[in-house]
Amino acid sequence: MDYKYINQLLDRYWRGETSLEEEDILRAFFSQEVIPAELRCYVPLFRYEATESKADVLGADFDAKLFSAIADRKPVKARVIPMTQRLKPLLKAAATVAILLTLGNAIQVPFSRTNDDPISNYDGYYKPELDNGTNVAIGDSAMVDTLQQSLAEPSNTAAMSDIK
C-alpha cells in the first residue's frame, strides 16, 4: 500500500505547516494497530500526544488548594538595609585599589633611586662622602640670628628697609 499522503503530511508537520485537521489525520493514522515498518518510529510521538492531553488536565479543586496554600503562608517582610551595608562592597573595592596603588608605589621606589640624591640614599647612617659641608639646620639658625641682631641694633638703616 502507498503511504505517500502520510509521508507528505509528516514532511509538512516537521516544517510546522499542517493545520489542526491534518494533525488529527496523522493522530488517527498512528493510533491504528497496523502501521508500516518505515513509519513505526513516529508512533510514540502521536500516541503520546493522545494520552498526555487527557492526563494534564487540572482538577476542579486546584484553585481551592492553591488559595489555601497562599493563605497559610506568612507574608514576607522587606528588610531594611542600612547605608553602610549597601556601601560595604564599594568600600572594599576602594580599599583594595588603595592598597594596590600603595604597594605599587612602594615597589617602584627602589628601582627609581639615583645616586645623585643624598636624601633618597639616606639609610640612617652618616656617610662623609655625601656631606658637601652645608648643614640645613645651621643655615636656618644663622638666618634667624642675623635677623634678630639686625632688629636689636638699628645702626644699619639699609638692612632695616630690606626686612620690612
Side-chain angles (χ1 to χ4, degrees):
M1 188 171 198
D2 188 20
Y3 296 103
K4 187 176 181 179
Y5 179 68
I6 297 298
N7 284 328
Q8 288 175 353
L9 282 179
L10 281 172
D11 288 339
R12 291 181 55 215
Y13 179 79
W14 297 125
R15 289 185 299 209
E17 298 173 352
T18 56
S19 64
L20 293 176
E21 293 81 21
E22 292 171 335
E23 289 177 15
D24 287 338
I25 292 170
L26 287 172
R27 281 190 207 96
F29 174 77
F30 285 108
S31 65
Q32 298 174 0
E33 293 298 324
V34 179
I35 296 175
E38 68 267 6
L39 297 176
R40 281 199 187 124
C41 60
Y42 303 117
V43 170
L45 173 70
F46 290 101
R47 287 189 183 168
Y48 174 78
E49 287 181 2
T51 58
E52 284 299 314
S53 64
K54 295 174 187 171
D56 286 339
V57 177
L58 296 176
D61 61 339
F62 176 76
D63 290 335
K65 287 181 182 179
L66 183 64
F67 288 131
S68 68
I70 292 172
D72 292 343
R73 300 198 77 182
K74 286 196 240 177
V76 178
K77 293 183 180 179
R79 293 186 307 159
V80 176
I81 300 174
M83 188 59 72
T84 56
Q85 188 73 17
R86 290 181 189 176
L87 294 178
K88 196 174 279 189
L90 182 63
L91 294 175
K92 286 180 182 179
T96 303
V97 168
I99 289 171
L100 289 175
L101 289 175
T102 303
L103 289 176
N105 287 338
I107 289 173
Q108 288 180 356
V109 168
F111 298 116
S112 65
R113 281 191 178 173
T114 61
N115 292 334
D116 298 338
D117 186 18
I119 294 175
S120 64
N121 289 331
Y122 181 70
D123 60 357
Y125 297 103
Y126 176 71
K127 296 180 182 177
E129 66 272 5
L130 295 178
D131 190 12
N132 60 3
T134 60
N135 191 339
V136 176
I138 292 174
D140 287 344
S141 64
M143 183 65 147
V144 170
D145 288 341
T146 307
L147 287 175
Q148 287 177 353
Q149 287 175 357
S150 65
L151 290 176
E153 298 175 15
S155 62
N156 190 356
T157 58
M160 288 297 288
S161 64
D162 291 336
I163 293 174
K164 292 180 186 177

